[in-house]
């Protein structure tokens, strides 16, 4: 008969149990007890024992069963640490720190935009002014809006003052452009002259802005064409063609050069006009120009007329 093997509860380290020796003297030294999984499997094995009468009886024995239950005698905590009151307090502190700071200038800015959408310009001006009189990120956008509105009202001094107060370089050039465009929209000779000066200020102080500098040159050219100052207008358009090939104004500048050289002035040149019209049409093919820059219909008509007259 086999004697039951008893074992002391070993110390088990994560992540897996270490190999340990049995302390029972009946087990040969150097033999190690199999892993828990193997022990549980072998404990169910049966052995056949012969009695004195020669009969063989199949009996179940626990001779190879280690008498300990890992679940009862060894407790291994493999769960992650739970969040206690101190951890929850830390999370709440972080949330408080990340809490959004209220912008005191934002509400007035939003009111101004709402009034502007209903074409209530006076109310919009008051809200924008209230916004940039407060400290906040929305104040700079309110200055840009009022720069435009003051310009439309002919208040160029007030508008210029707002431009100078803009600390953000990108918003400063945008405000400068809005002022010039607003004065240009008024449409009388005095406001057009003021608009020209503001455009000129923009292209000289910000000569390489990829978006607004070519727009300013282009706008100056259109203004000068209205005044029939064709040479000066051509100069602005050539600047766009030479220096801003990736701009949206690049192809429309060709169209307006075609119009300039078709117009009646000392340097009128119909062949050159035809060339610029053709360059515009070739360049615009397969593209979808934005509203206000689509002159395909007019260009085809001028090419037809000029082609038959030359």
């Amino acid at each position: 008969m086999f004697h039951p093997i008893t074992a002391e509860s070993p110390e088990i380290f994560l992540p897996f149990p270490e190999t340990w020796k049995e302390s029972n003297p009946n087990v040969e030294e150097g033999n190690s007890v199999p892993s828990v999984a193997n022990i549980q499997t072998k404990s169910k094995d049966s052995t056949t024992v012969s009695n004195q009468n020669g009969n063989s009886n199949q009996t179940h024995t626990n001779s190879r069963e280690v008498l300990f239950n890992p679940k009862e005698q060894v407790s291994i905590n493999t769960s992650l640490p739970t969040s206690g009151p101190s951890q929850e307090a830390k999370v709440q502190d972080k949330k408080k720190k990340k809490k959004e700071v209220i912008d005191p200038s934002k509400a007035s800015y939003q009111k101004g935009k709402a009034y502007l959408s209903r074409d209530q310009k006076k109310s919009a001006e008051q809200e924008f002014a209230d916004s940039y009189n407060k400290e906040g990120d929305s104040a700079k956008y309110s200055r840009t809006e009022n720069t435009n509105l003051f310009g439309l009202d002919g208040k160029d001094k007030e508008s210029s003052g707002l431009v100078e107060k803009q600390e953000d370089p990108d918003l400063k050039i945008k405000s400068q452009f809005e002022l010039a465009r607003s004065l240009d929209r008024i449409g009388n000779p005095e406001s057009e002259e003021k608009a020209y000066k503001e455009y000129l200020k923009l292209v000289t102080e910000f000569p390489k802005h990829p978006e607004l500098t070519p727009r300013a040159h282009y706008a100056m050219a259109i203004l000068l064409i209205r005044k029939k100052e064709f040479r000066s207008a051509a100069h602005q358009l050539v600047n766009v063609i030479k220096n801003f090939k990736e701009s949206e104004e690049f192809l429309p500048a060709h169209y307006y050069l075609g119009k300039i050289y078709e117009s009646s002035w000392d340097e009128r040149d119909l062949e050159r006009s035809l060339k610029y019209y053709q360059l515009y049409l070739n360049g615009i093919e397969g593209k979808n120009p934005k509203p206000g820059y689509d002159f395909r219909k007019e260009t085809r008509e001028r090419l037809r007329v000029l082609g038959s007259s030359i």
Side-chain angles (χ1 to χ4, degrees), residues 255-269:
Y255 168 77
Y256 274 105
L257 278 170
K259 286 182 68 71
I260 285 174
Y261 283 106
E262 190 184 357
S263 301
S264 298
W265 60 303
D266 295 340
E267 297 182 36
R268 186 176 190 235
D269 189 334

Side-chain angles (χ1 to χ4, degrees), residues 281-295:
L281 206 58
N282 293 344
I284 209 71
E285 185 177 358
K287 296 182 180 179
N288 187 23
K290 72 177 186 179
Y293 284 12
D294 188 356
F295 305 109

